[in-house]
Amino acid sequence: MDNYDPPQDPPEILHEDQALIVVNKPAGLLSVPGKGAHLADCLLARVAARFPTALLVHRLDRDTSGVMVFAATPHAQRHLGLQFEKRQTKKTYVTRVHGRIDAREGMIDLPLIVDWPNRPRQMVCHATGKQAITNYKVIRSDACESRVRLIPRTGRSHQLRVHMAALGHPILGDPFYSDNADEYPRMMLHAEELRLRHPEGGRGMRFHARTPF
């Protein structure tokens, strides 16, 4: 990642209260710092500069945009962390992928494991991989590409990217799992919506960020 050049616009704040800070992460910006001073700029650092008590709850890949939540207190961090761990949150993504998907909807159930010689790449492995399940619904499709809504039921690293590539429809602009990354200005994957329970009181909340492609 020697050519790391993240966008410089300040992050869009979607919601803030005494327990939550919800942000629309831009594509190209790390969620947390990488190794080395040149990778220090990240969404966590930018949010903490404005909200000093902000704490990490989950991550999005560098090249994925969309809804990301931070906790404002240690109690909220624990509460939200358990929701993610127990799969009580609901995440919805929008993507553009290569080729026509004929089925209107479906489920991908393929176990994943890190591809150690090529990390951080992940790969399908039926022998030792961890369960990974993604539901998908096709929004529209033509001979060249399909726009798809993805609902992950598990939260494995690179899950959506590997699953779509394994289906034969890699995400457009994906630098790891497609061969067309140079043809697109970004990876076409966006975290459109996140549903969770508020750490103070438990009421259901829904956060949405408009898809930019």
Side-chain angles (χ1 to χ4, degrees), residues 69-202:
V69 63
F70 295 86
T73 67
H75 167 76
Q77 185 186 40
R78 289 190 297 272
H79 194 285
L80 293 167
L82 282 172
Q83 289 187 55
F84 277 91
E85 181 183 330
K86 294 179 178 180
R87 303 177 187 174
Q88 294 171 342
T89 60
K90 183 175 181 181
K91 295 172 280 186
T92 305
Y93 294 74
V94 172
T95 185
R96 289 169 54 196
V97 303
H98 175 75
R100 179 191 295 276
I101 300 178
D102 292 325
R104 300 312 301 171
E105 60 183 59
M107 182 183 75
I108 306 166
D109 184 354
L110 293 171
L112 302 179
I113 192 171
V114 65
D115 182 0
W116 282 106
N118 301 298
R119 58 188 182 275
R121 288 176 59 102
Q122 310 288 312
M123 64 181 185
V124 174
C125 180
H126 292 280
T128 58
K130 294 182 179 180
Q131 184 184 47
I133 300 174
T134 303
N135 292 333
Y136 68 88
K137 295 182 179 180
V138 177
I139 301 170
R140 59 177 178 268
S141 184
D142 60 34
C144 296
E145 68 173 73
S146 302
R147 178 177 288 265
V148 187
R149 185 162 280 117
L150 302 175
I151 303 96
R153 289 171 53 188
T154 54
R156 307 300 177 198
S157 180
H158 291 192
Q159 175 176 318
L160 304 179
R161 301 163 68 172
V162 180
H163 273 177
M164 295 314 297
L167 198 65
H169 300 281
I171 294 174
L172 300 178
D174 189 332
F176 285 162
Y177 306 102
S178 76
D179 56 8
N180 58 23
D182 294 340
E183 300 174 23
Y184 296 89
R186 56 160 293 175
M187 182 172 71
M188 300 297 170
L189 180 62
H190 176 74
E192 175 189 50
E193 185 176 285
L194 175 62
R195 298 188 184 197
L196 50 78
R197 289 180 293 107
H198 196 279
E200 306 293 344

